[in-house]
Amino acid sequence: MATNNYIELKNITKTFGGVVALKNVSLSICKGDCFALMGENGAGKSTLGKILAGIHKADSGETIINGKIIQINSPRDAFNNGISMVHQELSFCPDLSIAENLMLGKYPLRWGIKIDNEKMLLNAEQLLKQIELDINPNELMKNLSTAQNQMIQIANAIATGSDIIIFDEPTSSLSEKEVVSLFKLIKKLKEQNITLIYVSHRMDEIFEICNKVAVLRDGEYVDTCKISEVTKAQLIEKMIGRKIEEYFPSYLDTVKTDVILKVENLSSKGKFEDISFELHAGEILGFAGLVGAGRSEIAVAIFGLDNNVTGNVTIDGNKLSLNNVDNSLENGIVLVPEDRKLQGLALGLSCKENFSLPNLNQFSKLGVLNKGLEQEIVNNYFSKVSVKTDSVDSAVENLSGGNQQKIVLAKWIAHNSKLLIVDEPTRGIDIGSKTAIHNIIDELAQTGMGIVLISSELPEVINLSSRIIVMRNGKMVKEFTRGEANQDLLLRYMTGNELNN
């Protein structure tokens, strides 16, 4: 591996509406490195990557590639300088096919005037083969899962033939099998001397595929370390500026015997079948399983969004009308969905408006909004969950993932909920925000709220839950108490290898 500084960022500064996202950040990256950027949400990692990719323009500073100062004012400038980015947010044309999206802007032509569909499909098939994704390139993007969309984005970055590829939380929606395929691909790219910048909160990933890591905190550069010369604990300390202890929830001492939720024989054809369980007041019940096991589908059904569901759901003694969201809300059931940007927030609205939408009855009378009371309640709940924003009137899309998730939680906490269903509550969130959200969930359980927790991160499920239900292929296969559960045992049941030694 070469030792020269292939990419140099000098004194990069960027502000958004008076909020400093990056302040005089300088770092160097060698040719062929897989270079990690780490830090809490809001530290500036994604912003730095987007500046290099031409999505944001730095207010000041220099970008030097291979010894030459370059100006990157747009994604086209980045593309012309051999830079591409795999975004955490999906960015395709949903009504076009996979092949059309992969070839967008570079369609192969026949006779110079007509798209050569046969060659386009062949090129797309070759790209899909590289990422080991077995899917028809004629399939429309809108029909794909979030994980499949993410893998197509990775294929699209490779298709550009870039010398520099920026990965922004690329595994946040991938299954274990897809992560393995991605890591194999990244290792091949490193062998081709392509420079990779990898933004992730997942320590295990960083230590497996990266050779160096730079830490940012509050928009400022902290340090660059060789992976071989730093521990996970040291990295966390650099990220948050303090030591952090393993989380142990306090609600375990306050779990009640009252059954707040009873689910009987819940089924939805092709999704899950014969699901029955109880949840007690003040309890956190975890659901573990691989992608597609049916966990999220159960959450959606209980919340009232599955028109085909059958069975019985009782909340606090009252039988619920299935496939009826209004009835679920009236009975105190709320859902923090898996995809906060697509399903949990209205990105074009402000932080305050997102909070207020389900809570208008608290500060309006006869259709008239009491803006003073609204402001007071919003400030109160944002303070409770520690939302960091320069103004509650700021666009929610400009906030970090952790702060966006806190707003989703805040609006439902204010809704006087009895049952909170949280699906992947800390996906794509840094270690500091993750701990804060764990604390919020713990505190809610202490108040007597029942919580159903769905997470692909087994340490999260094990640390927070009093009981854990394992799902596989739409069925409940095993229930564990907190003391029984460990990662190895859960994985065995999740994958169907429980009988193997």
Side-chain angles (χ1 to χ4, degrees), residues 230-246:
V230 69
T231 66
K232 293 178 183 179
Q234 289 170 335
L235 269 184
I236 292 174
E237 287 182 31
K238 291 177 186 292
M239 287 164 56
I240 65 177
R242 56 182 170 81
K243 291 187 177 182
I244 185 166
E245 299 178 357
E246 183 178 354

Side-chain angles (χ1 to χ4, degrees), residues 24-199:
N24 295 323
V25 172
S26 298
L27 56 85
S28 300
I29 303 172
C30 295
K31 178 72 172 174
D33 271 358
C34 185
F35 190 95
L37 290 177
M38 296 200 76
E40 296 189 74
N41 276 353
K45 313 176 301 298
S46 292
T47 300
L48 192 62
K50 288 177 179 178
I51 286 173
L52 192 55
I55 298 165
H56 297 320
K57 183 179 178 182
D59 298 335
S60 60
E62 289 182 341
T63 300
I64 302 170
I65 296 180
N66 205 19
K68 181 182 177 182
I69 297 176
I70 63 170
Q71 298 295 323
I72 304 179
N73 299 318
S74 68
R76 175 59 61 180
D77 290 339
F79 176 80
N80 291 338
N81 284 281
I83 304 168
S84 63
M85 185 171 190
V86 177
H87 300 270
Q88 183 179 6
E89 301 88 2
L90 305 179
S91 55
F92 285 119
C93 302
D95 292 313
L96 296 183
S97 70
I98 293 171
E100 289 168 326
N101 272 279
L102 287 175
M103 298 295 114
L104 199 63
K106 46 185 180 293
Y107 291 126
L109 300 178
R110 182 177 293 174
W111 306 305
I113 56 173
K114 183 181 178 182
I115 294 176
D116 189 335
N117 287 303
E118 186 176 338
K119 189 173 182 181
M120 179 176 69
L121 287 173
L122 180 61
N123 291 345
E125 285 173 352
Q126 291 173 342
L127 285 168
L128 295 175
K129 188 176 180 180
Q130 285 190 58
I131 61 171
E132 300 182 354
L133 187 60
D134 184 15
I135 193 169
N136 187 342
N138 284 312
E139 186 69 62
L140 296 182
M141 291 299 302
K142 65 183 179 183
N143 296 332
L144 304 186
S145 68
T146 302
Q148 289 172 326
N149 267 273
Q150 190 74 60
M151 293 300 285
I152 299 298
Q153 243 199 116
I154 292 164
N156 191 52
I158 295 168
T160 64
S162 301
D163 295 318
I164 301 167
I165 301 179
I166 304 160
F167 292 91
D168 188 6
E169 299 287 352
T171 64
S172 61
S173 58
L174 301 186
S175 68
E176 186 176 350
K177 180 181 177 181
E178 289 161 335
V179 170
V180 170
S181 296
L182 172 61
F183 288 180
K184 283 171 62 178
L185 179 60
I186 283 176
K187 288 169 185 175
K188 287 180 183 177
L189 294 173
K190 287 167 68 177
E191 290 170 1
Q192 297 169 20
N193 215 27
I194 292 173
T195 305
L196 308 173
I197 299 173
Y198 196 88
V199 178

Side-chain angles (χ1 to χ4, degrees), residues 260 279-283 418-421 444-445 448-452:
I260 195 169
L279 173 70
H280 300 95
E283 181 184 27
K418 299 174 184 175
L419 170 65
L420 174 67
I421 307 171
L444 292 174
M449 185 183 293
I451 295 173
V452 172

Side-chain angles (χ1 to χ4, degrees), residues 328-477:
S328 296
L329 290 172
E330 288 167 5
N331 281 278
I333 301 176
V334 294
L335 170 67
V336 176
E338 179 180 12
D339 189 332
R340 59 180 168 269
K341 292 180 182 292
L342 185 63
Q343 302 162 327
L345 296 166
L347 294 180
L349 299 182
S350 69
C351 302
K352 178 170 68 177
E353 289 167 331
N354 270 276
F355 173 90
S356 298
L357 278 174
N359 297 301
L360 288 172
N361 64 320
Q362 295 190 37
F363 29 79
S364 62
K365 189 174 182 179
L366 300 176
V368 179
L369 185 67
N370 184 331
K371 292 187 177 181
L373 181 58
E374 178 191 27
Q375 187 76 28
E376 181 182 335
I377 292 175
V378 170
N379 288 339
N380 178 35
Y381 279 95
F382 278 22
S383 176
K384 281 184 179 180
V385 298
S386 301
V387 174
K388 294 180 181 178
T389 177
D390 59 324
S391 168
V392 296
D393 294 311
S394 298
V396 75
E397 63 185 343
N398 293 332
L399 267 61
S400 67
N403 283 305
Q404 288 178 344
Q405 191 73 320
K406 288 176 184 178
I407 289 176
V408 178
L409 283 166
K411 73 178 182 181
W412 289 133
I413 295 169
H415 201 69
N416 297 321
S417 310
K418 299 174 184 175
L419 170 65
L420 174 67
I421 307 171
V422 283
D423 193 354
E424 303 290 1
T426 61
R427 171 174 285 168
I429 289 176
D430 64 89
I431 188 71
S433 293
K434 182 178 291 189
T435 301
I437 287 174
H438 287 175
N439 277 319
I440 292 168
I441 293 172
D442 183 13
E443 289 169 5
L444 292 174
Q446 290 180 62
T447 67
M449 185 183 293
I451 295 173
V452 172
L453 168 69
I454 300 166
S455 177
S456 297
E457 295 190 28
L458 292 184
E460 181 168 71
V461 176
I462 293 169
N463 287 339
L464 280 175
S465 306
S466 57
R467 291 181 294 129
I468 299 170
I469 292 173
V470 179
M471 297 284 301
R472 186 173 73 239
N473 298 327
K475 297 180 180 179
M476 293 172 53
V477 293

